[in-house]
Amino acid sequence: MNETVKTSLVVMFYSLLTGICMALFTQIEGFVKFLFSLLALYIGIRYFRRFETVGMRVLYIVLALVFTFITILSFVVYTFQQQNPELFQ
């Protein structure tokens, strides 16, 4: 596999995991939400140890935020659809 493709997939994977953890942090109530924030922090630390260039780190942060917003939007749409089933018949 080409190195740039492999690197791109690794960046996407780390960003996706971090984005999902941050979205779960915003959606879950109680103490468990802090476990997701710590998990996102741990994933970020692992990523920053692996990639040391500024460009890769900025790409990771931007993609993590994009995945966070996409995940939150998905949660909101799903919740709205579950609470208003008459609109989707």
Side-chain angles (χ1 to χ4, degrees), residues 11-76:
V11 171
M12 293 282 283
F13 179 70
Y14 274 99
S15 298
L16 180 65
L17 284 178
T18 304
I20 290 173
C21 287
M22 290 191 314
L24 288 173
F25 173 76
T26 62
Q27 298 295 318
I28 292 177
E29 298 292 326
F31 180 74
V32 178
K33 74 186 284 181
F34 297 110
L35 296 176
F36 286 108
S37 69
L38 290 175
L39 183 60
L41 180 65
Y42 176 73
I43 294 168
I45 290 171
R46 297 245 346 204
Y47 179 83
F48 274 41
R49 283 185 186 163
R50 186 170 183 170
F51 297 101
E52 296 181 358
T53 61
V54 175
M56 294 297 287
R57 290 179 175 186
V58 169
L59 180 64
Y60 164 74
I61 292 169
V62 168
L63 285 176
L65 289 173
V66 167
F67 284 129
T68 300
F69 292 132
I70 290 172
T71 306
I72 290 172
L73 180 66
S74 300
F75 283 152
V76 169

